[in-house]
């Protein structure tokens, strides 16, 4: 049997991490060769065994000294063979055999996860409009890159986010919207501070590139301050109103600066405009939903001391999108009614406007639609404009859109204009979702 001292030596060699080949060599050194089974094994000499044990101990002590010297060099930051502070060369460790040459594979540089952490999401939406036909009342350019939108959107902190939308046109640059939203207020409230499209009706809050037509309906043009619509600077607070069943209900209150294009005018700093909107949304089935909204707004018009313009509206949107064929079939129907009551030098003017429209998806990338609208003039309710249009839209991808509209407008002055509008929209960058 192997002697107890030899077993202890082998165990120590394994503990300090020597290779298995070295341990086997030490075992052969510490243990004599086995005699054949048929012969009697001679008894090992005591003096020989003690000398071998002493030799192994000396080798172990030498290894321990070399290991300690390597550790001291590592702490001192010395390279192998470099002199120590005392001027003496360090102990030389046994040189391991060189490793086989490895085939180097070039690795692409990994992008830092935080490289864009502090950069906002940036996108650009181009909106080209070509117009054919004759229209002396609303003389649009024959070719125009109108209201291209650049957006900057980012999280400010765990409690707020910021959204900026710049409108670039051939006439100049303007801030269409720029506000901060506080999303962690008590009671589930959502507050916005800055410049924003007011929540009056369903169409006014939408940006131009989100509309299902290349132009705006007549009620928005005649009664809400023109093509830009009602945009104000101030504070907006929205909160949920609990209703029984699975019905979404939201109320929005906005306090804005009293001037807004041709819609409102504020002679004094204290003249403010107000808007309130209440909407209800519900699923009628797994493929159909309905949204209904009520709006009320008022603001100073600057025509008389304390004279105001009041706006009232109701809107409805019905959507149908079957789950199984949603990629190829869908439909939506919209309608909105607006009444403007304006205190004027010539007497109060009450003008009404409305539109009805529908869109139907023919195939995966093809949509068709139609719209009829009519609206009086806010400054002269006796004049009414009327219009009708048919549309065809093609989506090459989710980042581009081609749309054609054939429209007829009958203006109060007696002119009838037939026009063909061709719209091309394209988007680059990460653009956040707009309100549904």
């Amino acid at each position: 049997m192997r002697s107890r001292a030899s077993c202890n030596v082998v165990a120590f060699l394994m503990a300090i991490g020597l290779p298995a080949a070295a341990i086997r060599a030490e075992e052969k050194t510490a243990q004599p060769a086995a005699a054949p089974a048929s012969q009697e094994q001679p008894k090992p000499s005591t003096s020989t065994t003690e000398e071998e044990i002493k030799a192994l101990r000396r080798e172990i002590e030498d290894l321990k000294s070399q290991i300690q010297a390597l550790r001291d060099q590592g702490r001192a930051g010395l390279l192998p063979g470099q002199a120590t502070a005392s001027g003496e060369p360090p102990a030389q460790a046994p040189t391991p055999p060189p490793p086989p040459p490895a085939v180097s594979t070039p690795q692409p540089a990994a992008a830092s996860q935080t490289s864009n952490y502090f950069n906002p999401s940036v996108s650009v939406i181009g909106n080209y409009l070509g117009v054919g036909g004759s229209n002396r009342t609303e003389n649009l350019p024959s070719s125009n890159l109108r209201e291209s939108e650049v957006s900057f959107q980012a999280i400010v902190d765990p409690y707020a986010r910021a959204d900026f939308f710049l409108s670039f046109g051939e006439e100049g640059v303007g801030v269409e919207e720029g506000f901060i939203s506080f999303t962690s207020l008590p009671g589930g409230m959502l507050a916005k501070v800055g410049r924003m499209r007011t929540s009056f009706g369903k169409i006014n809050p939408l940006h131009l590139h989100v509309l299902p037509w290349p132009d705006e309906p007549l009620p928005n043009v005649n009664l809400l301050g023109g093509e830009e619509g009602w945009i104000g600077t101030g504070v907006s607070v929205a909160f949920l109103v609990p209703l029984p069943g699975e019905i979404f209900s939201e109320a929005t209150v906005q306090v804005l600066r009293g001037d807004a294009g041709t819609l409102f005018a504020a002679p004094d700093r204290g003249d403010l405009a107000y808007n309130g909107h209440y909407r209800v949304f519900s699923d009628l089935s797994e493929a159909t939903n309905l949204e209904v909204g009520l709006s009320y707004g008022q603001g100073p018009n600057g025509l008389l001391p304390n004279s105001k313009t009041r706006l009232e509206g109701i809107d409805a949107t019905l959507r149908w999108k079957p789950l199984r064929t949603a990629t190829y079939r869908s439909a939506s129907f919209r309608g909105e009614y607006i009444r403007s009551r304006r205190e004027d030098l010539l007497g109060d003017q009450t003008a009404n406007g409305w539109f009805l429209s529908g869109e139907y998806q023919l195939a995966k990338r093809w949509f068709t639609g139609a719209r009829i609208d009519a609206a009086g003039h806010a400054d002269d309710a006796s004049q009414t404009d009327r219009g009708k249009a048919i549309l065809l839209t093609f989506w090459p991808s989710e980042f581009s859109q081609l749309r054609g509209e054939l429209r007829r407008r009958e203006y109060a002055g007696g002119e009838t204009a037939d026009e063909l509008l061709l719209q091309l929209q394209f988007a680059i960058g990460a653009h956040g979702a707009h309100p549904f």
Side-chain angles (χ1 to χ4, degrees):
M1 294 181 61
R2 187 187 306 174
S3 65
R4 179 176 298 179
S6 175
C7 293
N8 294 336
V9 171
V10 173
F12 178 78
L13 293 177
M14 295 177 65
I16 65 175
L18 287 179
I23 297 176
R24 288 195 296 270
E26 297 298 339
E27 286 180 340
K28 292 180 181 179
T29 306
Q31 181 177 355
S38 59
Q39 298 180 3
E40 182 180 357
Q41 297 181 356
K43 296 181 180 180
S45 172
T46 304
S47 59
T48 304
T49 303
E50 292 178 354
E51 292 176 358
E52 292 176 351
I53 293 175
K54 291 179 180 179
L56 286 174
R57 287 179 176 174
R58 286 193 300 269
E59 292 179 4
I60 293 172
E61 293 296 330
D62 293 340
L63 288 174
K64 292 172 64 177
S65 300
Q66 294 176 9
I67 293 172
Q68 186 63 35
L70 290 175
R71 290 177 177 174
D72 295 340
Q73 291 183 37
R75 295 191 185 99
L78 299 175
L79 298 175
Q82 184 177 354
T84 60
S86 61
E88 299 180 357
Q92 297 293 331
T95 304
V103 179
S104 60
T105 303
Q107 299 292 335
S112 174
Q113 295 181 355
T114 60
S115 58
N116 293 324
Y117 185 81
F118 295 102
N119 294 332
S121 299
V122 182
S123 67
V124 180
I125 297 179
N127 189 346
Y128 169 82
L129 183 65
V131 181
S134 177
N135 188 331
R136 294 187 299 271
T137 303
E138 189 179 357
N139 190 18
L140 297 175
S142 60
S143 183
N144 186 24
L145 185 62
R146 58 187 305 222
E147 199 173 298
S148 299
E149 181 182 284
V150 179
S151 67
F152 303 89
Q153 300 173 282
I155 300 297
V156 177
D157 52 37
Y159 313 101
R161 64 168 289 124
D163 299 88
F164 282 85
F165 302 95
L166 306 181
S167 175
F168 287 78
E170 296 185 2
E171 298 81 12
V173 182
V175 179
E176 183 175 6
E177 288 190 287
F179 55 84
I180 182 172
S181 302
F182 297 96
T183 58
S184 301
L185 298 178
M189 293 190 299
L190 173 67
K192 297 180 181 180
V193 180
R195 179 174 172 83
M196 67 199 79
R197 303 190 70 89
T198 59
S199 299
F200 187 93
K202 186 62 180 177
I203 300 302
N204 187 77
L206 301 180
H207 290 192
L208 182 63
H209 64 89
V210 185
L211 297 178
W213 328 283
D215 57 350
E216 296 82 4
L218 285 173
N220 293 72
V221 176
N222 292 359
L223 304 179
L224 289 182
E227 292 185 354
E228 294 292 332
W230 183 6
I231 303 177
T233 303
V235 180
S236 173
V237 178
F239 53 92
L240 301 180
V241 179
L243 291 180
E246 297 180 357
I247 299 177
F248 174 83
S249 174
E250 181 188 52
T252 302
V253 178
Q254 297 174 312
V255 181
L256 310 165
R257 194 174 63 204
D259 56 340
T262 60
L263 180 60
F264 299 128
D268 299 325
R269 180 183 297 177
D271 294 332
L272 301 176
Y274 305 90
N275 178 60
H277 181 71
Y278 177 69
R279 63 170 179 155
V280 177
F281 176 91
S282 178
D283 288 323
L284 304 181
S285 67
E286 65 178 13
T288 309
N289 57 71
L290 175 65
E291 179 180 347
V292 178
L294 298 173
S295 304
Y296 177 82
Q298 73 171 35
N301 56 33
L303 299 177
L304 294 170
N306 301 322
S307 62
K308 301 181 181 301
T309 296
R310 295 176 175 84
L311 300 169
E312 302 162 352
I314 181 172
D315 61 89
T317 304
L318 178 67
R319 304 179 184 88
W320 173 75
K321 199 174 184 69
L323 299 180
R324 293 184 178 180
T325 60
T327 307
Y328 301 91
R329 293 289 183 269
S330 65
S332 61
F333 302 92
R334 312 167 192 265
E336 188 166 347
Y337 170 81
I338 299 175
R339 181 170 66 178
S340 170
R341 294 185 295 166
R342 173 172 168 165
E343 298 175 358
D344 202 325
L345 293 172
L346 302 178
D348 295 350
Q349 300 290 327
T350 301
N352 302 306
W354 58 270
F355 79 85
L356 293 173
S357 73
E359 297 86 40
Y360 179 74
Q361 185 177 3
L362 299 171
K364 185 175 182 179
R365 304 172 187 268
W366 291 93
F367 295 77
T368 186
R371 184 192 70 210
I372 57 174
D373 49 4
H377 290 228
D379 56 351
D380 188 356
S382 63
Q383 298 185 6
T384 301
D385 301 331
R386 304 181 185 277
K388 53 181 72 97
I390 57 173
L391 302 99
L392 182 64
T393 304
F394 174 67
W395 290 80
S397 70
E398 59 180 319
F399 304 104
S400 60
Q401 172 188 273
L402 293 168
R403 175 177 287 145
E405 175 182 318
L406 183 62
R407 76 176 187 181
R408 165 173 286 190
R409 284 193 168 175
E410 301 171 356
Y411 295 98
E415 180 189 3
T416 299
D418 295 323
E419 297 173 286
L420 175 63
L421 279 62
L422 297 176
Q423 182 186 40
L424 169 62
Q425 292 191 142
F426 52 92
I428 57 176
H431 193 79
H434 286 279
F436 177 71

PDB file of all heavy atoms in Angstrom, residues 17-37:
ATOM      1  N   GLY A  17      -2.729  23.063  -7.034  1.00  0.00           N
ATOM      2  CA  GLY A  17      -3.108  23.200  -8.432  1.00  0.00           C
ATOM      3  C   GLY A  17      -2.072  22.750  -9.417  1.00  0.00           C
ATOM      4  O   GLY A  17      -2.064  23.239 -10.545  1.00  0.00           O
ATOM      5  N   LEU A  18      -1.177  21.792  -9.042  1.00  0.00           N
ATOM      6  CA  LEU A  18      -0.231  21.295 -10.039  1.00  0.00           C
ATOM      7  C   LEU A  18      -0.944  20.432 -11.061  1.00  0.00           C
ATOM      8  O   LEU A  18      -1.976  19.848 -10.783  1.00  0.00           O
ATOM      9  CB  LEU A  18       0.863  20.479  -9.344  1.00  0.00           C
ATOM     10  CG  LEU A  18       1.907  21.289  -8.536  1.00  0.00           C
ATOM     11  CD1 LEU A  18       2.884  20.340  -7.902  1.00  0.00           C
ATOM     12  CD2 LEU A  18       2.622  22.296  -9.406  1.00  0.00           C
ATOM     13  N   PRO A  19      -0.391  20.356 -12.289  1.00  0.00           N
ATOM     14  CA  PRO A  19      -1.023  19.515 -13.315  1.00  0.00           C
ATOM     15  C   PRO A  19      -1.030  18.052 -12.911  1.00  0.00           C
ATOM     16  O   PRO A  19      -0.236  17.590 -12.093  1.00  0.00           O
ATOM     17  CB  PRO A  19      -0.150  19.750 -14.558  1.00  0.00           C
ATOM     18  CG  PRO A  19       0.572  21.029 -14.301  1.00  0.00           C
ATOM     19  CD  PRO A  19       0.754  21.100 -12.823  1.00  0.00           C
ATOM     20  N   ALA A  20      -2.004  17.351 -13.540  1.00  0.00           N
ATOM     21  CA  ALA A  20      -2.148  15.930 -13.208  1.00  0.00           C
ATOM     22  C   ALA A  20      -0.910  15.152 -13.572  1.00  0.00           C
ATOM     23  O   ALA A  20      -0.541  14.174 -12.905  1.00  0.00           O
ATOM     24  CB  ALA A  20      -3.364  15.360 -13.934  1.00  0.00           C
ATOM     25  N   ALA A  21      -0.225  15.550 -14.669  1.00  0.00           N
ATOM     26  CA  ALA A  21       0.983  14.818 -15.074  1.00  0.00           C
ATOM     27  C   ALA A  21       2.062  14.922 -14.015  1.00  0.00           C
ATOM     28  O   ALA A  21       2.765  13.959 -13.708  1.00  0.00           O
ATOM     29  CB  ALA A  21       1.499  15.362 -16.409  1.00  0.00           C
ATOM     30  N   ALA A  22       2.195  16.111 -13.407  1.00  0.00           N
ATOM     31  CA  ALA A  22       3.200  16.270 -12.349  1.00  0.00           C
ATOM     32  C   ALA A  22       2.856  15.438 -11.135  1.00  0.00           C
ATOM     33  O   ALA A  22       3.711  14.875 -10.472  1.00  0.00           O
ATOM     34  CB  ALA A  22       3.328  17.742 -11.981  1.00  0.00           C
ATOM     35  N   ILE A  23       1.565  15.373 -10.832  1.00  0.00           N
ATOM     36  CA  ILE A  23       1.157  14.572  -9.664  1.00  0.00           C
ATOM     37  C   ILE A  23       1.444  13.106  -9.901  1.00  0.00           C
ATOM     38  O   ILE A  23       1.931  12.386  -9.011  1.00  0.00           O
ATOM     39  CB  ILE A  23      -0.331  14.808  -9.371  1.00  0.00           C
ATOM     40  CG1 ILE A  23      -0.564  16.286  -8.998  1.00  0.00           C
ATOM     41  CG2 ILE A  23      -0.814  13.888  -8.280  1.00  0.00           C
ATOM     42  CD1 ILE A  23      -2.003  16.620  -8.786  1.00  0.00           C
ATOM     43  N   ARG A  24       1.154  12.648 -11.141  1.00  0.00           N
ATOM     44  CA  ARG A  24       1.458  11.237 -11.422  1.00  0.00           C
ATOM     45  C   ARG A  24       2.947  10.969 -11.348  1.00  0.00           C
ATOM     46  O   ARG A  24       3.391   9.915 -10.895  1.00  0.00           O
ATOM     47  CB  ARG A  24       0.907  10.885 -12.804  1.00  0.00           C
ATOM     48  CG  ARG A  24      -0.616  10.788 -12.835  1.00  0.00           C
ATOM     49  CD  ARG A  24      -1.064  10.093 -14.102  1.00  0.00           C
ATOM     50  NE  ARG A  24      -0.723  10.868 -15.278  1.00  0.00           N
ATOM     51  CZ  ARG A  24      -1.548  11.791 -15.812  1.00  0.00           C
ATOM     52  NH1 ARG A  24      -2.710  12.013 -15.256  1.00  0.00           N
ATOM     53  NH2 ARG A  24      -1.178  12.460 -16.899  1.00  0.00           N
ATOM     54  N   ALA A  25       3.755  11.960 -11.777  1.00  0.00           N
ATOM     55  CA  ALA A  25       5.208  11.775 -11.678  1.00  0.00           C
ATOM     56  C   ALA A  25       5.644  11.684 -10.229  1.00  0.00           C
ATOM     57  O   ALA A  25       6.504  10.875  -9.867  1.00  0.00           O
ATOM     58  CB  ALA A  25       5.926  12.933 -12.374  1.00  0.00           C
ATOM     59  N   GLU A  26       5.037  12.528  -9.391  1.00  0.00           N
ATOM     60  CA  GLU A  26       5.382  12.465  -7.972  1.00  0.00           C
ATOM     61  C   GLU A  26       4.936  11.153  -7.352  1.00  0.00           C
ATOM     62  O   GLU A  26       5.592  10.590  -6.467  1.00  0.00           O
ATOM     63  CB  GLU A  26       4.749  13.648  -7.239  1.00  0.00           C
ATOM     64  CG  GLU A  26       5.256  15.013  -7.712  1.00  0.00           C
ATOM     65  CD  GLU A  26       6.738  15.179  -7.490  1.00  0.00           C
ATOM     66  OE1 GLU A  26       7.274  14.451  -6.637  1.00  0.00           O
ATOM     67  OE2 GLU A  26       7.355  16.016  -8.160  1.00  0.00           O
ATOM     68  N   GLU A  27       3.762  10.644  -7.818  1.00  0.00           N
ATOM     69  CA  GLU A  27       3.311   9.358  -7.282  1.00  0.00           C
ATOM     70  C   GLU A  27       4.294   8.248  -7.642  1.00  0.00           C
ATOM     71  O   GLU A  27       4.592   7.370  -6.834  1.00  0.00           O
ATOM     72  CB  GLU A  27       1.928   9.048  -7.838  1.00  0.00           C
ATOM     73  CG  GLU A  27       0.836   9.880  -7.213  1.00  0.00           C
ATOM     74  CD  GLU A  27      -0.511   9.529  -7.796  1.00  0.00           C
ATOM     75  OE1 GLU A  27      -0.538   8.954  -8.895  1.00  0.00           O
ATOM     76  OE2 GLU A  27      -1.521   9.836  -7.148  1.00  0.00           O
ATOM     77  N   LYS A  28       4.813   8.280  -8.896  1.00  0.00           N
ATOM     78  CA  LYS A  28       5.784   7.251  -9.290  1.00  0.00           C
ATOM     79  C   LYS A  28       7.062   7.369  -8.484  1.00  0.00           C
ATOM     80  O   LYS A  28       7.710   6.374  -8.150  1.00  0.00           O
ATOM     81  CB  LYS A  28       6.090   7.390 -10.777  1.00  0.00           C
ATOM     82  CG  LYS A  28       4.887   7.032 -11.656  1.00  0.00           C
ATOM     83  CD  LYS A  28       5.245   7.192 -13.116  1.00  0.00           C
ATOM     84  CE  LYS A  28       4.047   6.856 -13.989  1.00  0.00           C
ATOM     85  NZ  LYS A  28       4.358   7.016 -15.441  1.00  0.00           N
ATOM     86  N   THR A  29       7.434   8.648  -8.176  1.00  0.00           N
ATOM     87  CA  THR A  29       8.659   8.840  -7.396  1.00  0.00           C
ATOM     88  C   THR A  29       8.470   8.377  -5.966  1.00  0.00           C
ATOM     89  O   THR A  29       9.345   7.762  -5.350  1.00  0.00           O
ATOM     90  CB  THR A  29       9.056  10.314  -7.412  1.00  0.00           C
ATOM     91  OG1 THR A  29       9.153  10.749  -8.770  1.00  0.00           O
ATOM     92  CG2 THR A  29      10.394  10.533  -6.724  1.00  0.00           C
ATOM     93  N   ALA A  30       7.285   8.678  -5.417  1.00  0.00           N
ATOM     94  CA  ALA A  30       7.046   8.344  -4.015  1.00  0.00           C
ATOM     95  C   ALA A  30       6.690   6.891  -3.812  1.00  0.00           C
ATOM     96  O   ALA A  30       6.775   6.376  -2.711  1.00  0.00           O
ATOM     97  CB  ALA A  30       5.935   9.228  -3.453  1.00  0.00           C
ATOM     98  N   GLN A  31       6.268   6.165  -4.866  1.00  0.00           N
ATOM     99  CA  GLN A  31       5.820   4.787  -4.704  1.00  0.00           C
ATOM    100  C   GLN A  31       6.661   3.877  -5.604  1.00  0.00           C
ATOM    101  O   GLN A  31       6.778   4.130  -6.804  1.00  0.00           O
ATOM    102  CB  GLN A  31       4.341   4.679  -5.098  1.00  0.00           C
ATOM    103  CG  GLN A  31       3.810   3.259  -4.912  1.00  0.00           C
ATOM    104  CD  GLN A  31       2.339   3.202  -5.243  1.00  0.00           C
ATOM    105  OE1 GLN A  31       1.759   4.217  -5.499  1.00  0.00           O
ATOM    106  NE2 GLN A  31       1.781   2.013  -5.224  1.00  0.00           N
ATOM    107  N   PRO A  32       7.280   2.854  -5.081  1.00  0.00           N
ATOM    108  CA  PRO A  32       8.084   1.930  -5.906  1.00  0.00           C
ATOM    109  C   PRO A  32       7.189   1.133  -6.827  1.00  0.00           C
ATOM    110  O   PRO A  32       6.000   1.032  -6.635  1.00  0.00           O
ATOM    111  CB  PRO A  32       8.772   1.034  -4.883  1.00  0.00           C
ATOM    112  CG  PRO A  32       7.883   1.091  -3.674  1.00  0.00           C
ATOM    113  CD  PRO A  32       7.308   2.461  -3.651  1.00  0.00           C
ATOM    114  N   ALA A  33       7.794   0.619  -7.902  1.00  0.00           N
ATOM    115  CA  ALA A  33       7.054  -0.183  -8.879  1.00  0.00           C
ATOM    116  C   ALA A  33       6.516  -1.438  -8.231  1.00  0.00           C
ATOM    117  O   ALA A  33       7.146  -2.051  -7.378  1.00  0.00           O
ATOM    118  CB  ALA A  33       7.970  -0.546 -10.047  1.00  0.00           C
ATOM    119  N   ALA A  34       5.304  -1.801  -8.653  1.00  0.00           N
ATOM    120  CA  ALA A  34       4.658  -2.984  -8.086  1.00  0.00           C
ATOM    121  C   ALA A  34       5.308  -4.244  -8.620  1.00  0.00           C
ATOM    122  O   ALA A  34       5.639  -4.345  -9.803  1.00  0.00           O
ATOM    123  CB  ALA A  34       3.181  -2.968  -8.430  1.00  0.00           C
ATOM    124  N   ALA A  35       5.468  -5.194  -7.769  1.00  0.00           N
ATOM    125  CA  ALA A  35       6.081  -6.485  -8.151  1.00  0.00           C
ATOM    126  C   ALA A  35       5.027  -7.376  -8.753  1.00  0.00           C
ATOM    127  O   ALA A  35       3.848  -7.186  -8.522  1.00  0.00           O
ATOM    128  CB  ALA A  35       6.690  -7.148  -6.912  1.00  0.00           C
ATOM    129  N   PRO A  36       5.451  -8.272  -9.555  1.00  0.00           N
ATOM    130  CA  PRO A  36       4.474  -9.220 -10.127  1.00  0.00           C
ATOM    131  C   PRO A  36       3.739  -9.971  -9.026  1.00  0.00           C
ATOM    132  O   PRO A  36       4.234 -10.165  -7.922  1.00  0.00           O
ATOM    133  CB  PRO A  36       5.328 -10.159 -10.977  1.00  0.00           C
ATOM    134  CG  PRO A  36       6.591  -9.381 -11.245  1.00  0.00           C
ATOM    135  CD  PRO A  36       6.810  -8.513 -10.072  1.00  0.00           C
ATOM    136  N   ALA A  37       2.524 -10.381  -9.393  1.00  0.00           N
ATOM    137  CA  ALA A  37       1.682 -11.041  -8.380  1.00  0.00           C
ATOM    138  C   ALA A  37       2.271 -12.357  -7.936  1.00  0.00           C
ATOM    139  O   ALA A  37       2.045 -12.802  -6.824  1.00  0.00           O
ATOM    140  CB  ALA A  37       0.285 -11.251  -8.972  1.00  0.00           C
TER     141      ALA A  37
END
